[in-house]
Amino acid sequence: MNSRIALFILTFFLTIPLYANSAVVFMYHRFGESKYPSTNITIEQFRYQLDYLQKNDYNVWPLSKVIDHIRNKKTLPPKTVAITIDDAYISTFTKAYPMLKSKSFPFTVFVSTNQVDSKSNSYMSWEQMREMQKNGSEFANHSLSHEFLLPKKNEPEETWKKWISAEIQGAEKRLKEELGEDVNSQKLFSYPFGEYTMKTAELVRELGYVGITQTSGPVGEESDLMAITRFPMAEAFATPDGFKTKLNTIPIPIETIKPREPFIKENPPKLRIKLKEEVKNIGCYTSNGEAIKVNWISKTEFEISADKELKPPRDKYTCTAQAKDAKWYWHSHFWIIEK
């Protein structure tokens, strides 16, 4: 090969941004409902975030478009963000929607259809959703009843498979009846409470859906379509600094991770991660911020385990490291702890 061509190719790849094929997905529930601080974001916090995205020229996409790019190995442009909202609470329509509409930002709402059909004042109506569809909103599947979709002890496999399938397919039927056959084109399914086992995830995949979690982390070309990650944006995590930190995350280059199963059999659980390339100065923590010792097996493989038992019902290990371009590598692994 001509040396000049070789040098050009090398220079080209070295100048590709580190974050060129990743995106950040945010998850919200309630807006301006201070009675529910664990799932609420204040209007001031939300306004700051939307203004920041607009002023800094972020590409705000519907989640379906992000998933289409991951699924079909298409490059995600730098500064790509998706806004998602779970549960279809009324404050989505009365408070979040006008703000998003004013900026022409698309967004994705995951709907538990029984709650909407109950006509409770706490949730949006189908008519309100149809109005939102005209102005940048897309709707996706969050089950019929919003129950925990985990296999039950001593329940025959065919029984729980039939039940979970009915929860997902029943909700999809209602979405199409009310919002049109084109609704949820990428077949997105958000696990209620963010909880799933590998058996649940496999069934979601068999039904043709992409599983969406509540586990923190950016997404990219190697993301698991059974467990797409999102950053929760409740009051405690929605500070300006916290928001900007999460905006500047990229996936840790992971080759394998064991176990994949989030339902733990030993407590505290051990997690073993093999990297595709060396990443220096990785730090790992439990969800309450306690540091976890990183035991390196080789330059690209390590194991972690918390010092204390994790408390039910759920916890996570999060590993981060400084990357180039003021970015942070980020990976969270979700655990379900039996009570």
Side-chain angles (χ1 to χ4, degrees), residues 219-232:
V219 297
E221 57 187 347
E222 300 299 327
S223 289
D224 183 355
L225 290 177
M226 293 191 294
I228 291 294
T229 52
R230 300 181 288 172
F231 284 107

Side-chain angles (χ1 to χ4, degrees), residues 271-284:
L271 185 68
R272 188 163 179 150
I273 294 177
K274 185 175 182 181
L275 305 173
K276 292 183 175 181
E277 58 192 58
E278 187 176 357
V279 176
K280 295 181 179 180
N281 300 318
I282 287 178
C284 299

